[in-house]
Amino acid sequence: MLGFKFKSLSDTEMLWNKVFLVLVAVSMVTLLLIWTMNAFGHSLSPFSTNHLKPKQTNVVFLKTHKTGSSTMQNLLFRFAERHNLTVAFPKKECGYIFCYPRSFNTRFVHPGTLPANIITHHMRFNHAEVRRLMPINTVYITILREPASMFESLFTYFKETCEIFKKTPSLEAFMEEPQLYYQPNEPNKGVAARNCLTFDLGGDKDRPATDAAYVRDFLAKVDRSFSLVMIAEHFDESLVLLRRLLSWDFDDVLYVKQNMRTAGSKRTSLAPGLASKMRAWNSLDVQLYDHFNASLWRKLAALGPALVAEELRLLRQAQERLMQSCFGERKLQLRSAKQIKDTKLRPYLNDNNVDILGYDLPDNVSHDGSSSQKVQKLCLRLITPALQYSDLLRETS
C-alpha cells in the first residue's frame, strides 16, 4: 500500500494562499459588478450617474438661433468655470460669433483661448474644421426647435438686422410671397432667412426638400456628427440624456431660462394657415426637426418611462434647492431688460428693440457684497446674460 506523507505549510505559504484567495474573491466581485452595470445601462443605480466614469469635459455645443441655446450656453459656461476648463472664443473681429454666417474656420478662434475644452458660440458648423481644434474624445451636441415657432421668433428678433426681413412689411406679407423678397444668393446678414437650422448645421438651405437623396444624406451626416440633438420643447427631457451622455451630476445641468422675449413682444396667435406656410418655407428644417424629435423619444424610451420620470423629478428638485440656496425666500425678479438698471444683468437689446426678459436680484441683495447677504458667484453666473458672461470669461482667459 502506498503511503502519503503530509507536509505542513509554512507561515509564508499560508499567507500567500490567503492573498490568492482574496484576489480570486476581488476578481469575482469585479466581474459581478461589471455584469450588473451592463444590465442596468452602465450605472450602479438606474437613477444615478455612473461615477466610475469620469465627467466628459470636452464638449462642442452648436449654438443654433432662437432655440433656447443661450440657456445651454450659460450652463456650459458655468461648468467650464467650476472645472477650470478653457472655452474657445471668437477672435475680436468676429465679435461674439465665429464670423457667422461664414462657414467655421479655425482662423476665427482667438488663439489665446486654445487649446480648448468647450466651444459654445454661434457658428456655421464645419465638422472638419472643428475637429482640428478639439480633442478626439469630444462630444458634439446641438439643439433644434419646432420650425414654425422658431421662424416667427427669428423674423421678429432679426426684423431690422437681416436684410431680407428688413425690406418686408410683415411676417404675413413675407409668407404670402416669400420669393418676392428672398434671393437665394443674397448675402446672409445676421441670420439665414430660410431653413436657418439647416444652414447653421452646415447644410444647403436652398436645396429642394423634394431632393430625397440630399435630405437622407444630410440627416445621416448630422447623426454621425452629433451624439445628442436636444429639442427645445422638451428641454428637461433632453437634459436627462445629456447628463447621462456626459456623466455629469444634477448640479451640472441646472439652469434658468435665458434670452426669452417678453409677453408683449410675442404673438399670442398666428393667422390661419400662417404656421403651415412657415413650415413649407422651412421644409428642410421640418424634416430635420421631425427626424431628431423622433430620435430623442426613442432614446428616452430606451431608458424607460419610470427612470426618465425619476430623473426629471430629481432635476427639478435640484433646481428648487439651488434657488433656495441662492436666494432663500426671496424670489428672482423676472423683468423686461429695459427695466433692469444693472448693466451686468441687463440682456442685450438688438436694433429691432425686441424686448427681452432678464433677471434682477431680489430686493436687499446686491452683486457687489455691499448688502447684508452676499450672493454666491454661482448664483450670479446663473442669471448673467450671454454677452456679459462671455466678457467675464474672456477677461480671465
Side-chain angles (χ1 to χ4, degrees), residues 307-325:
L307 189 151
V308 172
E310 179 66 4
E311 287 259 344
L312 291 172
R313 185 187 70 80
L314 293 173
L315 173 63
R316 288 156 189 167
Q317 193 177 72
Q319 297 267 76
E320 291 174 7
R321 282 200 306 269
L322 176 62
M323 291 295 103
Q324 183 70 24
S325 171

Side-chain angles (χ1 to χ4, degrees), residues 203 207 211-225 287-288 291-292:
R207 185 66 67 106
D211 188 340
Y214 175 78
V215 172
R216 182 177 61 251
D217 291 347
F218 179 63
L219 292 176
K221 183 178 179 181
V222 176
D223 252 325
R224 289 193 302 270
S225 298
Q287 295 189 64
L288 185 71
H291 175 86
F292 285 104

Side-chain angles (χ1 to χ4, degrees), residues 62-67 100-101 123-125 143-152 154-155 158 162 164-165 171 174-175 178-179 182-184 188 190-211 214-215 218-219 222 275-290:
L62 178 63
K63 190 173 189 282
T64 48
H65 287 85
K66 311 312 294 177
T67 58
Y100 184 93
M123 69 165 75
R124 184 169 186 224
F125 190 60
I143 185 168
L144 307 178
R145 178 181 173 186
E146 193 284 313
S149 172
M150 190 210 72
F151 192 76
E152 182 276 323
L154 198 77
F155 186 94
F158 290 99
C162 174
I164 293 169
F165 293 159
L171 176 60
F174 181 83
M175 293 317 311
Q179 301 296 353
Y182 179 83
Q183 297 298 323
N188 294 286
V191 72
R194 185 180 196 184
N195 291 313
C196 187
L197 294 172
T198 299
F199 184 80
D200 286 357
L201 281 158
D204 181 355
K205 62 184 173 58
D206 295 304
R207 185 66 67 106
T210 53
D211 188 340
Y214 175 78
V215 172
F218 179 63
L219 292 176
V222 176
S276 60
K277 289 178 181 177
M278 287 190 284
R279 287 177 65 86
W281 177 246
N282 297 284
S283 53
L284 289 176
D285 280 2
V286 169
Q287 295 189 64
L288 185 71
Y289 176 85
D290 289 348

Side-chain angles (χ1 to χ4, degrees), residues 96 131 188 229 251 390:
Y96 294 93
R131 277 190 310 197
N188 294 286
V229 177
D251 288 347
S390 290

Side-chain angles (χ1 to χ4, degrees), residues 59-267:
V59 179
V60 168
F61 173 66
L62 178 63
K63 190 173 189 282
T64 48
H65 287 85
K66 311 312 294 177
T67 58
S69 59
S70 292
T71 301
M72 265 302 296
Q73 185 183 55
N74 180 279
L75 186 155
L76 287 164
F77 279 167
R78 284 181 284 119
F79 182 83
E81 272 202 292
R82 286 196 305 276
H83 296 84
N84 198 29
L85 304 175
T86 302
V87 178
F89 277 87
K91 64 181 183 179
K92 187 175 181 180
E93 305 91 286
C94 293
Y96 294 93
I97 56 181
F98 288 108
C99 290
Y100 184 93
R102 296 164 64 187
S103 182
F104 178 81
N105 191 287
T106 55
R107 297 193 310 273
F108 301 158
V109 182
H110 192 297
T113 60
L114 294 174
N117 301 106
I118 290 175
I119 296 180
T120 180
H121 286 82
H122 281 301
M123 69 165 75
R124 184 169 186 224
F125 190 60
N126 180 335
H127 198 182
E129 284 292 296
V130 176
R131 277 190 310 197
R132 290 178 58 192
L133 288 181
M134 299 300 291
I136 193 167
N137 68 336
T138 298
V139 175
Y140 291 76
I141 300 158
T142 190
I143 185 168
L144 307 178
R145 178 181 173 186
E146 193 284 313
S149 172
M150 190 210 72
F151 192 76
E152 182 276 323
S153 179
L154 198 77
F155 186 94
T156 302
Y157 191 82
F158 290 99
K159 177 68 173 70
E160 297 303 322
T161 51
C162 174
E163 293 299 318
I164 293 169
F165 293 159
K166 195 172 183 178
K167 61 188 179 184
T168 309
S170 65
L171 176 60
E172 286 79 4
F174 181 83
M175 293 317 311
E176 193 63 35
E177 294 184 277
Q179 301 296 353
L180 186 64
Y181 308 99
Y182 179 83
Q183 297 298 323
N185 297 322
E186 186 170 346
N188 294 286
K189 292 184 179 179
V191 72
R194 185 180 196 184
N195 291 313
C196 187
L197 294 172
T198 299
F199 184 80
D200 286 357
L201 281 158
D204 181 355
K205 62 184 173 58
D206 295 304
R207 185 66 67 106
T210 53
D211 188 340
Y214 175 78
V215 172
R216 182 177 61 251
D217 291 347
F218 179 63
L219 292 176
K221 183 178 179 181
V222 176
D223 252 325
R224 289 193 302 270
S225 298
F226 292 89
S227 297
L228 175 64
V229 177
M230 302 173 68
I231 298 297
E233 289 81 6
H234 309 294
F235 192 78
D236 284 359
E237 289 84 355
S238 296
L239 288 181
V240 169
L241 296 175
L242 176 79
R243 190 182 80 82
R244 289 173 161 270
L245 173 66
L246 301 179
S247 295
W248 286 6
D249 299 318
F250 280 105
D251 288 347
D252 296 321
V253 295
L254 304 181
Y255 70 94
V256 296
K257 291 183 178 180
Q258 298 277 347
N259 209 36
M260 299 179 294
R261 287 182 294 166
T262 59
S265 66
K266 292 181 180 180
R267 290 168 175 258

Side-chain angles (χ1 to χ4, degrees), residues 29-44:
V29 170
T30 302
L31 288 172
L32 181 61
L33 180 61
I34 291 171
W35 178 86
T36 304
M37 289 168 64
N38 287 333
F40 288 98
H42 307 289
S43 177
L44 295 179

